[in-house]
Amino acid sequence: MRAYRIAYDGRPYNGFQRQPDVATVEDTLFDALSRLGVHDRAEGPPGGYAAAGRTDAGVSALAQTVAFDAPKWLSPEAFNSELPANVRAWASSDVGDGFHATHDASERTYTYHLYAPDAAEVMARAALDGLRGEHDFHNLTPDETGTVRTLDGSLTRDGDFFVLELRAGGFCRQLVRRVVGLIAEVARGESSFPKVERVLGPEPVEGPGGVAPAPAYPLVLTEVTYPGVTFETDADARASARAVFGELRAERRTAARVAGTVRDGLS
């Protein structure tokens, strides 16, 4: 088996996991493998296939990890030859036949870029500190089971943004985005700090008192850790990925300037 690191821009996709009738990142991977003759997607996933996580619609990734029975010639560069430009394999590792990309991950790291020019950093840090550690996050996920998790993280101020890095062995559905949503509420003064304690308490917190998930597009899956597995970077594939995301960065900076011109003209 071989494991691959996959980077992608999540905004054009309806999430990672394949779904009927909508574009997903997983569909692009399976389509590429079919065109390469590695596996016929009509037969289902490749042998031994699993992915590190199921990112939501709009969420991007640096280190999404997929593993499956792959021929030796399928380098990241070869994989990229049939992938769209906004989905890039860039590193790989040979792994044992029993390797499972979901279950063998010891830690996952997500990075969220929260636009918060007028938010109070001291309150954001206090909210994050209150959420760290082992808790039952049942009020921050639609999941009904498996809601006890151990969360760690950090926060840095970068201009108008808080950069939140959140780490755990695994995350419930929407947990990262709702944690960010709660931190944003407290930092902006929309909720007081005691809401953190209420949300972590045993009683359900729903409706207007609940926490809505923060938008998906500022979220990136930045690391997945596998003990004993070392990924080898494919230099050509990495260069290709850097070029693609460099162009995307320039395009979105330009779009921001255009929007700024229109906004300023309306003042």
Side-chain angles (χ1 to χ4, degrees):
M1 288 184 68
R2 184 176 291 178
Y4 296 85
R5 293 291 207 195
I6 309 292
Y8 53 83
D9 172 24
R11 295 195 73 167
Y13 295 99
N14 288 274
F16 179 81
Q17 187 178 22
R18 57 182 174 151
Q19 303 175 49
D21 305 322
V22 295
T24 69
V25 177
E26 198 168 56
D27 280 318
T28 70
L29 300 179
F30 291 169
D31 286 345
L33 293 175
S34 290
R35 288 191 292 270
L36 288 163
V38 172
H39 181 75
D40 183 354
R41 70 163 299 164
E43 299 175 1
Y49 174 83
R54 301 173 178 179
T55 54
D56 294 339
V59 176
S60 297
L62 167 64
Q64 175 68 279
T65 305
V66 299
F68 53 90
D69 295 329
K72 291 185 177 180
W73 58 262
L74 189 65
S75 64
E77 185 180 15
F79 204 162
N80 287 341
S81 68
E82 291 294 341
L83 286 170
N86 57 15
V87 179
R88 299 281 90 184
W90 59 273
S92 65
S93 177
D94 291 326
V95 293
D97 290 342
F99 180 83
H100 195 284
T102 309
H103 304 318
D104 289 350
S106 61
E107 186 174 75
R108 294 163 174 82
T109 302
Y110 284 88
T111 302
Y112 195 98
H113 299 273
L114 176 65
Y115 182 67
D118 300 319
E121 183 175 344
V122 65
M123 294 307 299
R125 291 187 181 279
L128 176 58
D129 286 344
L131 290 161
R132 283 196 184 101
E134 182 179 293
H135 302 286
D136 188 338
F137 291 99
H138 64 104
N139 282 316
L140 293 173
T141 175
D143 289 350
E144 296 182 356
T145 60
T147 57
V148 176
R149 305 287 169 136
T150 301
L151 180 71
D152 197 5
S154 62
L155 181 151
T156 57
R157 166 69 86 174
D158 183 9
D160 286 341
F161 289 83
F162 289 148
V163 181
L164 285 154
E165 186 178 90
L166 299 174
R167 300 180 297 276
F171 289 89
C172 321
R173 285 186 299 154
Q174 298 186 1
L175 178 57
V176 173
R177 292 166 56 203
R178 291 186 189 233
V179 163
V180 172
L182 180 55
I183 291 172
E185 284 185 26
V186 174
R188 291 168 177 158
E190 298 164 4
S191 296
S192 61
F193 181 79
K195 183 170 181 176
V196 175
E197 297 173 342
R198 290 199 304 275
V199 165
L200 294 177
E203 297 302 319
V205 179
E206 301 172 342
V211 179
Y217 67 87
L219 181 59
V220 186
L221 174 59
T222 45
E223 182 58 82
V224 183
T225 303
Y226 296 95
V229 176
T230 301
F231 285 87
E232 181 179 350
T233 299
D234 182 317
D236 291 336
R238 179 176 61 182
S240 169
R242 283 182 58 84
V244 166
F245 284 91
E247 292 174 2
L248 183 60
R249 183 185 187 188
E251 174 189 322
R252 291 186 177 160
R253 281 182 167 180
T254 303
R257 292 182 68 89
V258 170
T261 298
V262 175
R263 181 205 60 185
D264 294 346
L266 296 170
S267 60

